[in-house]
Amino acid sequence: IDAENQVKISPKISGNTFKDISIISNLLTFKLNNNIDQLSFDNNTFLNFNINTYYGGIGLDINHESNDISFLLSFNDCFFININNLEKQQQGGAISCSNAINRGNVELSITDCFFSQNHNEGKGCAIYVNIQHSVTIEKCTLSDNYGSGKGSIYIDPDNSNSPASLILISECIFKQNKVNECSSIYIASGSTKTVLIDSCNFEEEKGSIVFNNFKNTFEIKSCKFHNILDSSALIINHPEDSLTDS
């Protein structure tokens, strides 16, 4: 889908199934009019992808006419199942939200979504985020995602010109994800955002939460860790002993 002629009303992609897709380019392209403040994906299913694209994830190319104007990108009640991202250098097996979308000048919200059996060999076998503004991931289930990198969710907190903002991950379930180093949440080095991980459940994960050289305030509260395998439930690395984020 290619909508390059400056979409002038807030688009909503809802109730669709994208299935058995093999592509080497982006799945969706939008050029938004500058007055649009939100693009929503509601109740969509993305199933059985083999994708090799610069954009990472399912391949979203979304920009305003001017990259200096931000917008909210939201996913609600969506299913991401068996998304195989073949490009090792790209990030995010199912969702990748980074400089490839409006040069990172975007706010991200993911609510009530389901991620299973997604694969990426880079950062974040389900979700990768590196944007300027706030990140909200709520009431999502991530199970049986796999890769050799770090985290089902991988967040690079800092982006150029990042203002102070919040990363919120709440009421999410992580179960039996298989990633070599920390199968649940990996927060890379950064200082512009604060982090709150609230009321999440971690079950049979290979390690759970890593903060690597993170230099701002974070809080982990009301979470439950059950049968964590192979690694610690929580790893906090200080600057002098930090892991490599590459």
Side-chain angles (χ1 to χ4, degrees):
I1 297 175
D2 190 339
E4 279 281 8
N5 293 321
Q6 297 175 11
V7 178
K8 297 178 180 179
I9 59 173
S10 293
K12 179 181 288 188
I13 313 300
S14 62
N16 303 288
T17 297
F18 301 85
K19 182 180 179 182
D20 299 332
I21 292 177
S22 296
I23 53 175
I24 58 172
S25 62
N26 47 302
L27 176 69
L28 301 169
T29 297
F30 289 93
K31 177 72 79 171
L32 305 175
N33 191 279
N34 284 337
N35 65 359
I36 291 177
D37 60 4
Q38 182 171 355
L39 190 156
S40 300
F41 290 84
D42 296 344
N43 192 28
N44 297 285
T45 297
F46 303 88
L47 175 64
N48 298 338
F49 277 46
N50 285 302
I51 189 164
N52 187 338
T53 170
Y54 160 79
Y55 299 95
I58 57 174
L60 301 178
D61 178 15
I62 306 168
N63 291 277
H64 264 150
E65 295 173 274
S66 171
N67 295 133
D68 293 331
I69 300 173
S70 66
F71 62 90
L72 170 64
L73 175 62
S74 67
F75 298 87
N76 307 290
D77 299 298
C78 290
F79 294 81
F80 300 85
I81 302 171
N82 194 29
I83 311 296
N84 184 24
N85 193 304
L86 303 176
E87 176 49 66
K88 184 176 180 180
Q89 300 304 315
Q90 302 310 314
Q91 299 94 2
I95 292 177
S96 180
C97 191
S98 64
N99 278 329
I101 296 180
N102 207 45
R103 294 185 183 172
N105 190 11
V106 61
E107 178 183 351
L108 177 65
S109 175
I110 306 172
T111 304
D112 287 312
C113 291
F114 180 80
F115 299 84
S116 182
Q117 302 176 49
N118 301 297
H119 171 235
N120 178 263
E121 292 298 316
K123 301 175 179 178
C125 58
I127 301 170
Y128 173 79
V129 183
N130 177 221
I131 58 177
Q132 295 180 26
H133 302 291
S134 64
V135 179
T136 301
I137 304 172
E138 293 184 298
K139 299 179 180 178
C140 294
T141 297
L142 300 94
S143 68
D144 297 297
N145 301 288
Y146 63 100
S148 63
K150 301 171 182 177
S152 296
I153 298 174
Y154 188 111
I155 298 179
D156 274 317
D158 290 353
N159 190 292
S160 59
N161 303 314
S162 290
S165 57
L166 173 67
I167 298 167
L168 172 64
I169 303 174
S170 71
E171 298 181 73
C172 292
I173 297 171
F174 298 83
K175 185 175 182 179
Q176 297 179 338
N177 296 291
K178 303 171 182 68
V179 187
N180 279 1
E181 186 178 324
C182 174
S183 60
S184 304
I185 301 168
Y186 191 98
I187 308 294
S189 177
S191 60
T192 60
K193 292 180 174 65
T194 57
V195 177
L196 172 58
I197 300 173
D198 183 14
S199 302
C200 293
N201 290 340
F202 303 87
E203 184 174 350
E204 297 182 45
E205 291 285 284
K206 187 177 179 180
S208 293
I209 304 171
V210 170
F211 283 86
N212 187 26
N213 192 16
F214 186 74
K215 300 174 183 177
N216 206 334
T217 301
F218 66 88
E219 182 179 3
I220 301 168
K221 70 175 187 177
S222 302
C223 292
K224 296 180 180 179
F225 302 86
H226 176 68
N227 196 19
I228 304 304
L229 309 173
D230 296 335
S231 187
S232 301
L234 176 61
I235 300 174
I236 302 172
N237 293 294
H238 296 290
E240 61 271 15
D241 59 8
S242 62
L243 305 171
T244 301
D245 282 332
S246 59

